[in-house]
Amino acid sequence: CEGRMNDRVSGETCWPPVLERRPPMLDLQGRNINKLRVSVSEACNMACSYCVTGIEDHQVAPDQLAMSDLLRLVELLHRHAGIEKIRITGGEPLLYRELIPFIEGLTQVGLEDIGLTSNGLLLAKSAPALASAGLKHINLSLDSLQPERFREMGRAGSLKSTLKGIDASLKAGLRLKINMVVMKGENDDELADMLEFGIKRGIEVRYLELMRMGPLYQNGDFKLVTMEEMLDQIGERFTITPAKADHDSTSKRFWVPGGYFGIIPNESAPFCSTCSRLRLTSNGKLVGCLSNPEETSIRHLLDEPNPEEKLKSLVMESVSYKQSSFTGSDLVMSKIGG
């Protein structure tokens, strides 16, 4: 294959030697854009009410890239645009049939911080293989510990399956974080219960304020629970102490006896000023900002013999769309890598 990631005619996959990486990619505000969330597919086996209007919204993109091509684009972003940390998203990435070879490919090109966002329904069977392929950590979406409520909020799925997935992941040595989207009148009475669940298993829980995205954008029935309200409720059962977090973290971090938790305050304290994230869709488009629907296609670079400079220019174009504050948009998170 003469140093290429794949031969687009024969389909043969080739792994080049790890090369010295370029300097970091800095945006106009001096932020180091080094994290990539890559959506392998828009398909999902749940239809959470804050994400989509119904399960029919989860459709595979008709121009979804082949796994080898998507991997090639990630490799280019790693080599030439300063990407160091990868989070595989969807849709639900565990539905992606080539997930294991994709993770193996990310490892081969020199990426060491490889994570995954999942609803956990299929984790029980796949956790050992994911760990063996090179996956390091999982952000697991879990909005309720009550079986009926779990299914009502997700419109599908089984809490029992997700809990089995958590146990299997811990047994496989994968690091876990639980992401709980908090909605007033739906699951906001479970905050302390979820924290206790995490502490008992050594899992950090992160509570997410609702985001004005997709079906919730300009929606009058916006069931927001603020960070202050969350802290008040958790504080009724726990003594809370503020803790340090990474400078570009999306969450405010806190310590309670037994462990840590975080709150991602999309409305109360948006993290836009320190955002270091870029998104790559399953059909080869970059999304630089959640509040800006502009997409920048890079899939045509697959046919370029020397795409480095064009890639850098397109990455800078994409991150130039980043806004100074979160305003929301009608973008559907499952389409751009939640």
Side-chain angles (χ1 to χ4, degrees):
C1 291
E2 299 178 352
R4 288 170 290 148
M5 281 292 297
N6 66 290
D7 186 319
R8 293 170 61 81
V9 176
S10 69
E12 180 185 359
T13 299
C14 313
W15 307 118
V18 176
L19 304 176
E20 182 179 354
R21 292 185 291 275
R22 301 289 182 177
M25 177 64 72
L26 304 180
D27 70 0
L28 296 176
Q29 286 73 44
R31 294 172 291 194
N32 181 13
I33 309 301
N34 66 347
K35 296 179 180 178
L36 180 70
R37 294 186 178 180
V38 53
S39 174
V40 291
S41 175
E42 296 178 17
C44 189
N45 48 4
M46 294 184 73
C48 299
S49 59
Y50 50 80
C51 181
V52 291
T53 57
I55 196 74
E56 65 278 0
D57 290 348
H58 291 304
Q59 301 292 330
V60 175
D63 56 347
Q64 177 174 304
L65 287 169
M67 187 273 288
S68 57
D69 288 341
L70 188 62
L71 188 58
R72 172 61 174 163
L73 291 181
V74 176
E75 187 262 349
L76 289 173
L77 290 165
H78 173 54
R79 302 273 182 230
H80 307 305
I83 292 299
E84 298 287 346
K85 300 179 180 181
I86 296 287
R87 177 93 62 79
I88 303 167
T89 69
E92 171 50 53
L94 294 183
L95 292 175
Y96 187 60
R97 294 182 178 181
E98 296 180 288
L99 181 59
I100 298 301
F102 184 71
I103 294 173
E104 291 172 340
L106 294 176
T107 302
Q108 289 288 334
V109 301
L111 285 156
E112 297 179 355
D113 192 328
I114 305 171
L116 178 82
T117 295
S118 173
N119 59 37
L121 293 177
L122 302 175
L123 265 179
K125 293 183 178 179
S126 58
L130 292 170
S132 296
L135 189 72
K136 303 301 182 185
H137 52 92
I138 297 175
N139 283 25
L140 190 137
S141 299
L142 178 60
D143 297 328
S144 177
L145 293 171
Q146 300 178 22
E148 290 186 7
R149 182 180 287 177
F150 175 95
R151 188 169 180 83
E152 286 174 1
M153 293 186 68
R155 299 193 180 108
S158 160
L159 174 62
K160 185 177 180 180
S161 296
T162 293
L163 296 182
K164 286 183 177 179
I166 290 174
D167 292 339
S169 298
L170 293 174
K171 186 176 180 180
L174 293 164
R175 302 194 310 274
L176 290 184
K177 287 184 179 178
I178 288 174
N179 283 354
M180 178 184 183
V181 176
V182 184
M183 300 182 71
K184 190 176 292 293
E186 294 197 20
N187 64 345
D188 55 330
D189 58 340
E190 292 189 61
L191 300 182
D193 291 341
M194 189 69 75
L195 184 52
E196 285 190 351
F197 176 87
I199 288 173
K200 289 178 180 178
R201 292 160 179 79
I203 302 172
E204 184 167 327
V205 176
R206 300 196 306 177
Y207 304 99
L208 282 66
E209 287 186 355
L210 280 179
M211 299 185 73
R212 298 184 186 274
M213 300 285 296
L216 298 184
Y217 184 56
Q218 296 182 340
N219 188 330
D221 186 25
F222 191 61
K223 301 177 180 179
L224 175 68
V225 180
T226 66
M227 177 169 60
E228 182 178 0
E229 291 173 321
M230 295 183 201
L231 290 173
D232 286 344
Q233 186 182 136
I234 296 170
E236 292 178 2
R237 197 180 303 181
F238 295 91
T239 299
I240 302 173
T241 304
K244 289 185 178 181
D246 293 340
H247 76 282
D248 62 346
S249 175
T250 58
S251 67
K252 302 293 184 181
R253 203 160 180 247
F254 305 90
W255 181 86
V256 295
Y260 291 88
F261 74 93
I263 296 177
I264 301 180
N266 305 301
E267 290 281 330
S268 299
F271 45 84
C272 302
S273 62
T274 59
C275 180
S276 59
R277 292 153 195 82
L278 189 64
R279 285 172 164 80
L280 176 64
T281 67
S282 62
N283 57 356
K285 297 177 181 179
L286 295 176
V287 178
C289 181
L290 294 180
S291 290
N292 195 318
E294 292 289 340
E295 297 176 327
T296 304
S297 180
I298 61 171
R299 64 182 295 152
H300 60 283
L301 298 181
L302 291 165
D303 298 314
E304 293 278 346
N306 298 295
E308 179 178 345
E309 294 306 318
K310 289 184 180 179
L311 176 70
K312 288 181 178 180
S313 176
L314 290 170
V315 169
M316 290 305 296
E317 175 186 327
S318 182
V319 299
S320 72
Y321 296 132
K322 286 185 177 294
Q323 299 185 8
S324 58
S325 60
F326 179 71
T327 58
S329 77
D330 57 2
L331 286 171
V332 176
M333 291 293 280
S334 64
K335 294 182 181 296
I336 62 172

